Amino acid sequence: SEYLGFVPGEIMLVSAHKWDLMAAKRSGLLTAFVPRPFENGPGTEVDTLPESYIDVIASDLPQLASLLDRG
């Protein structure tokens, strides 16, 4: 974050993997979960349940942009 000129709480990691978001939250970053339902092939069930370490959940990047624009 010092390379970017922001403190960790001003940076958001966007990921389709909850383990990435868990690590980011432990580092003080904001987090956004955007699942990729077909990442592991059709018929794969994706865990989209809210977690305490996820700040925002969106179905896709346009929805995430819309949600962040409101905040």
Side-chain angles (χ1 to χ4, degrees), residues 13-40:
L13 177 73
V14 178
S15 180
H17 305 116
K18 287 187 171 185
W19 60 85
D20 289 333
L21 298 172
M22 188 182 301
K25 183 53 76 175
R26 276 190 298 233
S27 297
L29 276 63
L30 297 169
T31 57
F33 179 57
V34 181
R36 295 187 305 199
F38 302 112
E39 176 179 16
N40 295 312

Side-chain angles (χ1 to χ4, degrees), residues 7-70:
V7 297
E10 297 175 316
I11 300 169
M12 176 176 276
L13 177 73
V14 178
S15 180
H17 305 116
K18 287 187 171 185
W19 60 85
D20 289 333
L21 298 172
M22 188 182 301
K25 183 53 76 175
R26 276 190 298 233
S27 297
L29 276 63
L30 297 169
T31 57
F33 179 57
V34 181
R36 295 187 305 199
F38 302 112
E39 176 179 16
N40 295 312
T44 303
E45 197 164 318
V46 178
D47 175 9
T48 58
L49 295 174
E51 306 286 355
S52 61
Y53 52 87
I54 298 174
D55 297 307
V56 180
I57 297 176
S59 59
D60 54 30
L61 293 177
Q63 184 191 32
L64 177 62
S66 176
L67 291 171
L68 295 177
D69 189 43
R70 293 182 206 158

